[in-house]
Amino acid sequence: GEDVEQSLFLSVREGDSSVINCTYTDSSSTYLYWYKQEPGAGLQLLTYIFSNMDMKQDQRLTVLLNKKDKHLSLRIADTQTGDSAIYFCAVSPHGSGNTGKLIFGQGTTLQVKP
Amino acid sequence: NAGVTQTPKFQVLKTGQSMTLQCAQDMNHEYMSWYRQDPGMGLRLIHYSVGAGITDQGEVPNGYNVSRSTTEDFPLRLLSAAPSQTSVYFCASSQASGYNEQFFGPGTRLTVL
């Protein structure tokens, strides 16, 4: 089945850029997503990218998609302490059609030091 | 809109007990899903539904039942709780179009002793 992998932890200084990486096994996903989870809360959609795009920018967020290497990354510019959270990569598994099914990575805990 | 609501927020069960985790959404979303979140394992899909009367299994369905009698509600039943079911459970809903943004509830933290 579909597999989505992320590193578990990233620590950066406030003001630096953060780059969170994700690899996946199935290249048939139409959309690929980044969700954010703050402590004690559910997940919220942070951004997404359509599979025929290579890059998407949204204010401080940049998503890069390398379909050949099946690699997705999220770059947060000028990282703030409020960005401290768990970030999940998610893809729609092969054969799921338009069912809303998602496969999530393990989540990357981003720690931002003042 | 209240969005996606889940009850209870916390629950402690003894092994072998049964219970139902409630989930409701007021956004008229067709799709609803249940996930469990365990440390270092991300979210894993338990069951999902693409509409009232239609449910299907996800990655980890054993020990759980679901039903979808209305668009709004999608309860998750634990038939005979086991310590391995200690987890945080999230319900989510999404529309059947566009980029399928999933809206998550606040979660239920379940401990099985």
Side-chain angles (χ1 to χ4, degrees), chain A residues 34-46 84-88 104, chain B residues 2-6 9-10 33-37 42-43 88-93 101-109:
Chain A
W34 284 103
Y35 279 82
K36 178 182 180 182
Q37 184 182 33
E38 298 189 355
L43 281 69
Q44 284 190 304
L45 182 66
L46 192 61
S84 294
I86 305 176
Y87 292 81
F88 291 92
F104 286 86
Chain B
V4 180
T5 58
Q6 291 184 239
K9 289 193 187 308
F10 302 95
S33 306
W34 275 103
Y35 296 89
R36 59 177 289 173
Q37 183 179 21
L43 274 75
V88 181
Y89 291 84
F90 288 100
C91 179
S93 72
E101 176 180 358
Q102 293 214 4
F103 292 82
F104 283 80
T108 294
R109 185 173 293 274

Side-chain angles (χ1 to χ4, degrees), chain B residues 77-111:
Chain B
R77 283 182 286 276
L78 281 72
L79 307 174
S80 177
S84 61
Q85 294 178 305
T86 293
S87 188
V88 181
Y89 291 84
F90 288 100
C91 179
S93 72
S94 63
Q95 287 182 319
S97 61
Y99 57 89
N100 290 137
E101 176 180 358
Q102 293 214 4
F103 292 82
F104 283 80
T108 294
R109 185 173 293 274
L110 176 67
T111 301

